[in-house]
Amino acid sequence: MKIQIDSSLYERATKASATAGYSSVDEFIAHAIERELKRLDAEDAEQQVADQLRGLGYIE
Amino acid sequence: MSLDSEIIIVSGLPRSGTSLMMQMLHVGGVEVVTDHVRTADVDNPRGYFEFERAKQIEHDTSWLPSTRGKAFKMVSQLLYHLPPREPYRIIFMQRDLDEILISQEKMLQRREIAAAPREKIKEAFTLHLERLFEWLHDQRNISVLTVNYNELLDNSRQYAETISEFLGNIPVVPAMVQAIDPNLYRNRRTTPQSQNTSS
């Protein structure tokens, strides 16, 4: 699978991956995507929890 | 520990036994902060022990210093808003998640609010608790004692002693034990081993 990204972003990612000790820029990008997906999942979960708590009268 | 300087918080998910813990602390001799706005009902026959201002913590923390040395109840998601300038002792109630959800669904039904699909909200609560405990672990001003509601009912004295120790041996153990009424343990998860349960 190929994903297109801006060349300057790719260059920045390459430099950052080397600085951070990743074995390749691919690994760095995969890790960044994973982290962002986890963040979005967590945000979604907290919203669902908030809706439930509001329904039960525990938050406003 | 000096109970005068630290703030005691009873937290957890709704229906995890936080009201029971507040009742235990109250009869055990800890001053509890409650405004009696939310009164006892069929879901909490002994009362909720809630403090409405705690729900506003994201926007107003001016009341917080007046709770030093006392205990109040705060639902888990609001703990993130506790200002780091104060030291806290948190008793965090845990309970079988399916039992919590059964109880919450009944409560929502009585409030005529549609409940979210069980598996979806269970997943959300699980992730919420995982993240919250990671966060709590990193907070140097917060000490946490987790108390399992199901185990508390089975080993009341042992748990009461642990809780009292966590709070500087201030709460009186026998009084705390007496506050536990197993008849209020409803919404038990039905398993092949425990069929004779009430609602």
Side-chain angles (χ1 to χ4, degrees):
Chain A
M1 181 179 288
K2 286 183 181 174
I3 296 170
Q4 279 198 325
I5 61 169
D6 181 81
S7 58
S8 66
L9 180 61
Y10 182 79
E11 270 173 39
R12 284 168 58 206
T14 306
K15 280 181 191 167
S17 67
T19 309
Y22 286 86
S23 61
S24 67
V25 67
D26 288 30
E27 188 188 48
F28 174 77
I29 290 171
H31 184 240
I33 293 171
E34 233 169 65
R35 205 172 40 198
E36 181 61 5
L37 289 173
K38 198 176 167 189
R39 191 190 65 78
L40 290 171
D41 283 348
E43 213 172 75
D44 184 47
E46 291 296 339
Q47 189 54 53
Q48 287 180 57
V49 169
D51 290 343
Q52 182 93 343
L53 299 184
R54 200 168 292 113
L56 291 163
Y58 285 84
I59 61 169
E60 294 181 338
Chain B
M1 167 206 165
S2 164
L3 272 185
D4 294 338
S5 61
E6 301 205 29
I7 296 170
I8 303 163
I9 300 175
V10 174
S11 188
L13 297 176
R15 317 307 294 162
S16 61
T18 51
S19 299
L20 170 65
M21 183 53 60
M22 288 294 285
Q23 171 92 15
M24 287 175 69
L25 296 184
H26 174 57
V27 299
V30 175
E31 189 176 344
V32 298
V33 183
T34 173
D35 50 25
H36 306 287
V37 169
R38 196 175 196 181
T39 52
D41 59 18
V42 67
D43 291 308
N44 260 345
R46 288 180 167 188
Y48 283 85
F49 286 89
E50 285 186 9
F51 183 51
E52 289 296 313
R53 292 191 79 178
K55 296 179 187 175
Q56 324 260 342
I57 193 155
E58 189 175 356
H59 309 291
D60 176 20
T61 59
S62 61
W63 51 274
L64 208 51
S66 67
T67 66
R68 289 178 191 139
K70 302 170 191 171
F72 66 84
K73 193 166 118 173
M74 176 175 273
V75 76
S76 57
Q77 202 175 41
L78 296 181
L79 295 177
Y80 289 116
H81 302 300
L82 289 172
R85 62 176 180 268
E86 298 279 353
Y88 308 94
R89 297 250 160 180
I90 297 180
I91 298 176
F92 198 96
M93 297 302 295
Q94 294 184 310
R95 183 181 178 184
D96 179 285
L97 203 44
D98 286 303
E99 289 185 2
I100 286 179
L101 292 173
I102 290 167
S103 186
Q104 288 187 1
E105 283 167 11
K106 287 181 181 174
M107 204 172 162
L108 286 169
Q109 203 173 15
R110 277 190 275 275
R111 294 168 70 94
E112 299 183 346
I113 295 170
R118 174 90 59 92
E119 285 311 309
K120 203 162 183 263
I121 196 71
K122 188 176 178 179
E123 209 176 292
F125 274 141
T126 303
L127 191 53
H128 161 67
L129 290 175
E130 275 174 20
R131 288 184 68 238
L132 179 66
F133 272 92
E134 277 175 23
W135 180 82
L136 285 170
H137 184 262
D138 292 340
Q139 307 310 305
R140 300 181 71 176
N141 58 323
I142 298 178
S143 306
V144 182
L145 174 71
T146 56
V147 174
N148 184 291
Y149 176 79
N150 309 77
E151 291 172 14
L152 172 66
L153 298 182
D154 291 338
N155 304 297
S156 308
R157 184 160 188 99
Q158 188 189 326
Y159 267 90
E161 283 171 358
T162 306
I163 293 158
S164 183
E165 197 179 326
F166 180 67
L167 299 178
N169 295 311
I170 303 295
V172 180
V173 171
M176 290 172 85
V177 174
Q178 278 187 346
I180 299 171
D181 179 3
N183 292 324
L184 292 178
Y185 182 22
R186 302 165 295 178
N187 301 308
R188 211 180 280 249
R189 182 166 64 159
T190 307
T191 64
Q193 288 78 37
S194 59
Q195 293 291 334
N196 56 341
T197 56
S198 62
S199 62

